[in-house]
Each structure stands twice: as C-alpha cells, then as structure tokens.
Amino acid sequence: MQIPIALQIYSLRRIFEENPLRALRIARKAGYTGVEFYGTHFHPEFYAALLRETGLVCAGWHTPIEALEDDFENTLHRNLVVGSRFICVPWFKAESLAEWKKFAARLNAVAERLAPYGILTGYHNHAHEFQMLEGRLPWDVVAENTLPQVILQLDTGNAMSAGADVSAVLEKYPARAGTVHFKPYSRVAKFASPIGMDDIPWGKLLDYCERRGRTEWIVVEYEEEQNPEDVVAASLRALHRLRPRG
C-alpha cells in the first residue's frame, strides 16, 4: 500500500490566511490526500469543516513546544477535532548540547502526556540541526535522547541546505520517520524549485519510506512564495512518477 501524500498548508500560506477554503481546494485539486496544518488562525471546528468540505485528511499539525506544555488542553482539543495523530514541533534552537538534551526531555514529557490519546509528537528540523555544535549534530542529540515513539520529522530541503546527506539521515534512525517533509532543494535555485527539478535523491527517499521507513505520511512543503499553486502541483506529479513500482 502506497503512503499517502499531504501538503503542508504553509506552502500556500498567503492564500490560506486570506481564504482557507480556497487553499485546501487547491491542495485537493492537485491530488493531495491530506494537509498538515500550522498556526492557530481559526476556531478548531472550522478546520474540521474545511476538511469535510474538501475531503482531505489532517496529516498532522505543526505546533510550538510551548503550546504543548502551557496550553495542553486546547492543543489536544484542536488536534482531536480534526483527527490529527501527529503533532510536530517546528522549531527549536539552542546554543549548547546541554540545552538540546533538555529539549529532548521536554519532547519525551509531551510524548508521554499525549500517548493516552493515540497522538504522537515529533520534531521538525531546520538547517542548524545539521551544523556542528560542540562536536555533535543537534539532530543526533535529539534522536539519541528521545523515546522511540518521538517522530524525527526530517525536512529534506532544510537538511540538505546545511550539507546533510538526507538519505543517510533517514537510514540512521530506522522506524523514527513516521512523517517526513519532502521539501525540494537545489544547489543552484535553493528552495525555489519543484520536486523533480532539484538535487534531492527522491527515488532513494521514496524507496526507503515506502519499503522500510514505517512512514505513515509524506508531507510536501514548498518554502518560497513564487507560484506556489503550480509548484505544489508539479511536485506531486513528480513524486507519482518517481514512486517505486510493485
């Protein structure tokens, strides 16, 4: 069974914030199965209505760690209303490995608090997690100090922009890639290119996720704001062409 592909709705952020229904309809028309939300722009029941109207599924929600710690009940309610099973923290930065270890402990505490509700938490990287700090990569420190059920939501474009071998990163922590961000990155065009016209080895990543990664959602994200409708549609078409057969 092929892994469903969602769109991180941040890819259409200007449209989403002005006309959320139009943004989800664009995702549906392009062929996406689901969307991953970000922010808290609207009432939770409105998000659920958007999903019902478009036939899309919620593939997760990017949520700051502070909301999970300090506003747990509202954050939980928001995700239960839309049927989200994955809450990934989209950003953290620290100046020492000790601080990264403390952050990992915070993720563990959130994971244990969410477990009774069947919801998983995780962490989504930017570039700095793949830059050496005190002789280690913060990504490895988070991975090694979190519970096995904490998702390592690799953002391929962000990682590659820091020089990481994204295929090797996925392989290093088997069964931790519950959801993966497929963000294109080109050494020439940087983030301004669709999947299939960049430098990420998509065939290898798809093979890993489909066959060995225990990945439940592939989430496409486009970083730039130029022609987002065209790029997210072209990216999905490219992924369908590149998917392993059989």
Side-chain angles (χ1 to χ4, degrees):
M1 182 175 178
Q2 289 188 325
I3 300 168
I5 302 177
L7 179 69
Q8 166 51 260
I9 206 63
Y10 182 78
S11 308
L12 302 172
R13 52 197 174 276
R14 286 190 175 180
I15 300 170
F16 179 68
E17 291 172 15
E18 293 177 3
N19 190 332
L21 180 57
R22 178 173 173 243
L24 267 69
R25 282 176 170 165
I26 289 169
R28 184 63 172 174
K29 183 179 179 181
Y32 288 92
T33 301
V35 288
E36 183 182 52
F37 290 124
Y38 73 98
T40 55
H41 300 78
F42 313 106
H43 196 271
E45 282 69 19
F46 180 63
Y47 286 94
L50 292 173
L51 296 173
R52 288 194 299 271
E53 176 67 23
T54 57
L56 292 164
V57 176
C58 181
W61 206 314
H62 271 193
T63 304
I65 186 76
E66 293 80 8
L68 283 160
E69 293 172 328
D70 304 332
D71 194 23
F72 180 81
E73 295 300 330
N74 285 329
T75 301
L76 175 63
H77 173 71
R78 191 178 302 118
N79 282 268
L80 290 175
V81 164
V82 298
S84 169
R85 292 185 51 247
F86 303 98
I87 305 176
C88 287
V89 175
W91 171 266
F92 182 78
K93 193 170 186 180
E95 302 303 321
S96 71
L97 294 186
E99 291 178 80
W100 279 105
K101 288 179 181 178
K102 289 179 181 178
F103 173 65
R106 294 167 70 186
L107 288 174
N108 288 338
V110 167
E112 291 179 334
R113 198 172 180 188
L114 287 171
Y117 305 96
I119 298 176
L120 299 175
T121 194
Y123 182 60
H124 166 274
N125 65 282
H126 285 74
H128 58 268
E129 292 87 350
F130 293 94
Q131 296 165 345
M132 285 293 181
L133 177 66
E134 299 174 14
R136 298 291 312 282
L137 294 178
W139 183 255
D140 289 331
V141 173
V142 171
E144 293 166 9
N145 289 277
T146 45
L147 298 166
Q149 63 265 36
V150 173
I151 295 167
L152 301 175
Q153 191 189 59
L154 179 68
D155 183 299
T156 57
N158 289 345
M160 190 173 182
S161 73
D165 179 339
V166 291
S167 181
V169 172
L170 278 177
E171 297 272 2
K172 187 172 184 179
Y173 299 105
R176 300 289 299 272
T179 71
V180 183
H181 259 223
F182 275 28
K183 181 185 290 180
Y185 183 79
S186 163
R187 295 180 181 88
V188 175
K190 307 303 179 186
F191 293 102
S193 62
I195 288 173
M197 297 183 67
D198 62 326
D199 295 313
I200 291 177
W202 296 112
K204 290 179 68 176
L205 299 191
L206 282 163
D207 183 76
Y208 175 82
C209 291
E210 295 275 10
R211 302 183 192 278
R212 293 170 287 132
R214 299 184 186 175
T215 304
E216 296 191 39
W217 279 100
I218 289 168
V219 182
V220 170
E221 182 179 12
Y222 179 53
E223 183 76 16
E224 302 297 317
E225 294 187 352
Q226 305 97 315
N227 305 314
E229 295 181 55
D230 294 337
V231 173
V232 299
S235 293
L236 184 60
R237 289 195 299 269
L239 287 177
H240 285 316
R241 289 196 305 269
L242 291 165
R243 292 190 105 143
R245 303 296 178 184

